[in-house]
Amino acid sequence: MTTPPLATSILVLGPPLVFKAYETEFSEKFNFLKPWKTPIPLPQFIATHSANVGAIFCSAVSPVTAEIIQSLPELRFVLASSTGVNHIDLRECERRGIVVANAGSTFSDDVADMAVGLLIDVVKRISAGNRLVKARVWPCEGDYTIARNKLGGKRVGIVGLGNIGLHIATRLNAMGCIISYTSRTMKPHVTFPFYPAIHQLVANSDILVISCALTKQTHHMIDRDVMLILGKEGVIINVARGAIINEKELVECLVKGEIGGAGLDVFENEPNFPEELFGLDNIVLTPHHGAVTEEACRNLYDHICKNLDALLSNKPLECEVMNM
Amino acid sequence: MTTPPLATSILVLGPPLVFKAYETEFSEKFNFLKPWKTPIPLPQFIATHSANVGAIFCSAVSPVTAEIIQSLPELRFVLASSTGVNHIDLRECERRGIVVANAGSTFSDDVADMAVGLLIDVVKRISAGNRLVKARVWPCEGDYTIARNKLGGKRVGIVGLGNIGLHIATRLNAMGCIISYTSRTMKPHVTFPFYPAIHQLVANSDILVISCALTKQTHHMIDRDVMLILGKEGVIINVARGAIINEKELVECLVKGEIGGAGLDVFENEPNFPEELFGLDNIVLTPHHGAVTEEACRNLYDHICKNLDALLSNKPLECEVMNM
């Protein structure tokens, strides 16, 4: 257990779950500033320590605003515990030459598993069946026990074919789904059909799975128009970021039955949920925990230590976010 | 729409869900007896019609007992709407030379999807997360949001590698699980490791998925001994028949935390459930609806019509149950 000399301190924002899980191990290796442990308001805390902060380590829901960045003159590095970096002001980082790195593919397979799990759950009504059983209403009248649809043969449109999207495609392909995708660019070495525009993809899909980054271009990309094309039997799964979907319009479409169902691990204003959906059986909502497994947490800890070590010894970092 | 002449009538027991869904279409083609539509008790109904009954069409939960068979002297054929035929007295059928046919592989992929869905649900706590969200307790204290385990790399032991088991293996293999199996016999052309005995399989598994037939040999095969070998982190998924697991011992092991979780679509005394499990978050229970999708229902209707047509024209049947 070496304790490398630190020219500057690392400001932890959130804190990320991995930091809470490995706080002792982290603290033995690096010098962290933990604003949540003091009663001092964050801006004042930052002002007090501003000369010492060389790096920020942040959770997926802790904004790293231009204001915070500007108040830290020595900041050289922002490390996200998440894959998405939409909560970091990348433009300001670029302007200042601050390096941003994310979690890379640390939990791509976990998030893909979550997407597949949510999809099967919605299509085969697992949570709904579970609720029904525990409410003691089985056996019941009518056709409730008919799970809505077969998964095999369904056309699944994947929005964003990065690491996570590719893992999702592989899994659903093995289940007999017919995969196509849209992405910023057509992927080399990928044989699934590519549609450059979201509307083309949706017109050829029964199910949409969202696994792209949240950017200005993808913000509210899935709106009422897209949902109406998807249609009454259509299902939307989102394991990326809530704001890629216009949540207000999603709620309307679900409540009115204009789309068939949804499985959502992410929301537009976390931890707030659209409560209008709570009573609907064709909706499955999970608290943004797709990425969070014990093993991924351990891997993320290793990944972050490696990056902090690299930072301290001026070596190249892993998983720098290149595409701002 | 032809109405073939029927030498004998078909007694419907249950009735199967597919019969309810396609009753008009069925009734236009064949001559069915529908005991549930009269107030007459079943034995008396059967006695009244016994001379005319050439075939039985039964649901998965309608026992076709030796007594029923013996009261039908003209019976030549029992057609199950399910894959499992444990509810049919096969010995008595064999003795009488009565042909038994099941649903074949009509919904193998649907049941496999259900197994995978239940597995992801338990491992990644989807139903539990859904309940948590809808109970408005997110964000919450503690480590709840840590989904218990990563699916990739887990050793999955499949009990019974028929059509359904093979579909499950393919799906979980694509998710990075390490597959092995036990079965009556080692399967040719299958590269997954085979263990002849259940105890060997369990000793090499983190997760057990049950997809075998219920027979005298498999009844209560998964007992406390097996569960203790599986251990505290172990998960059991059952999409086959409830009585393959000793349900009383399963409940005990789950309540005491001697195994880690379970996803169950089938139960020992359906439609009764072990209510002791209702409060546990690591248990997902669905009302035996793995096989039931609209598409499978349509395919099953076609399959049954084909078999009844074959029966009436003395042609070979599909999906005869050979291995009694």
Side-chain angles (χ1 to χ4, degrees), chain B:
Chain B
M1 197 71 68
T2 60
T3 309
L6 241 182
T8 54
S9 304
I10 301 152
L11 174 66
V12 183
L13 297 179
L17 200 62
V18 65
F19 190 83
K20 287 197 280 186
Y22 289 91
E23 184 167 353
T24 312
E25 294 87 336
F26 267 128
S27 300
E28 282 171 2
K29 301 187 75 175
F30 305 103
N31 178 27
F32 290 105
L33 298 171
K34 306 168 186 174
W36 69 95
K37 296 215 169 171
T38 79
I40 306 167
L42 185 63
Q44 200 178 324
F45 183 93
I46 290 177
T48 309
H49 296 277
S50 63
N52 304 319
V53 174
I56 286 176
F57 177 33
C58 60
S59 79
V61 290
S62 304
V64 180
T65 60
E67 198 182 352
I68 290 178
I69 296 168
Q70 283 157 12
S71 65
L72 297 169
E74 303 301 321
L75 186 67
R76 289 182 293 149
F77 183 58
V78 177
L79 178 55
S81 68
S82 53
T83 310
V85 290
N86 52 287
H87 56 305
I88 301 169
D89 191 318
L90 296 178
R91 188 181 295 261
E92 182 62 16
C93 289
E94 198 178 16
R95 201 185 63 77
R96 280 268 304 274
I98 293 167
V99 172
V100 178
N102 70 357
S105 60
T106 310
F107 26 63
S108 297
D109 50 353
D110 293 301
V111 177
D113 290 344
M114 192 70 177
V116 174
L118 283 171
L119 177 50
I120 304 179
D121 196 317
V122 173
V123 171
K124 294 189 74 76
R125 295 190 179 178
I126 292 181
S127 292
N130 188 41
R131 192 190 59 72
L132 203 76
V133 163
K134 293 182 179 176
R136 301 177 175 78
V137 287
W138 185 53
C140 55
E141 286 303 308
D143 69 347
Y144 181 83
T145 50
I146 297 204
R148 207 175 46 222
N149 280 130
K150 196 182 193 71
L151 202 55
K154 287 288 172 302
R155 300 169 304 163
V156 177
I158 298 186
V159 182
L161 204 75
N163 271 321
I164 294 172
L166 264 175
H167 278 297
I168 294 169
T170 311
R171 284 155 171 72
L172 293 178
N173 198 37
M175 305 185 85
C177 295
I178 300 154
I179 309 293
S180 59
Y181 74 102
T182 187
S183 211
R184 272 181 282 220
T185 55
M186 190 171 165
K187 305 286 173 187
H189 317 302
V190 168
T191 55
F192 303 123
F194 167 70
Y195 294 102
I198 182 73
H199 285 77
Q200 288 173 292
L201 180 76
V202 180
N204 290 285
S205 299
D206 304 305
I207 293 164
L208 274 192
V209 181
I210 320 291
S211 54
C212 61
L214 172 58
T215 63
K216 271 186 186 164
Q217 288 71 42
T218 64
H219 183 266
H220 282 195
M221 178 175 58
I222 310 298
D223 58 9
R224 188 175 154 81
D225 275 359
V226 167
M227 293 180 230
L228 292 183
I229 299 171
L230 191 63
K232 286 188 179 186
E233 296 295 318
V235 169
I236 297 179
I237 304 299
N238 192 1
V239 291
R241 284 294 177 268
I244 297 165
I245 301 179
N246 183 323
E247 195 168 278
K248 191 165 163 282
E249 296 181 2
L250 174 70
V251 167
E252 274 176 30
C253 285
L254 283 166
V255 169
K256 289 184 185 166
E258 290 172 331
I259 65 167
L264 310 171
D265 191 40
V266 289
F267 303 89
E268 199 158 352
N269 299 301
E270 294 177 16
N272 297 308
F273 286 83
E275 300 205 2
E276 300 93 323
L277 303 181
F278 284 12
L280 302 180
D281 255 356
N282 51 338
I283 318 292
V284 182
L285 311 173
T286 47
H288 200 155
H289 71 194
V292 192
T293 64
E294 284 172 15
E295 293 90 336
C297 214
R298 175 81 218 174
N299 291 343
L300 185 57
Y301 167 73
D302 291 340
H303 168 71
I304 287 158
C305 287
K306 221 166 154 181
N307 256 352
L308 289 174
D309 279 334
L311 179 76
L312 295 173
S313 51
N314 283 317
K315 286 185 183 154
L317 304 180
E318 282 184 1
C319 306
E320 268 188 46
V321 177
M322 307 299 287
N323 195 338
M324 299 191 185

Side-chain angles (χ1 to χ4, degrees), chain A residues 169-210:
Chain A
T170 311
R171 283 155 171 72
L172 293 178
N173 198 38
M175 305 186 85
C177 296
I178 300 154
I179 309 293
S180 60
Y181 73 103
T182 187
S183 211
R184 272 180 283 221
T185 55
M186 189 171 165
K187 305 286 172 186
H189 316 302
V190 168
T191 54
F192 303 123
F194 168 71
Y195 294 102
I198 182 73
H199 286 75
Q200 289 173 289
L201 180 76
V202 180
N204 290 284
S205 298
D206 304 306
I207 293 164
L208 274 191
V209 181
I210 320 291

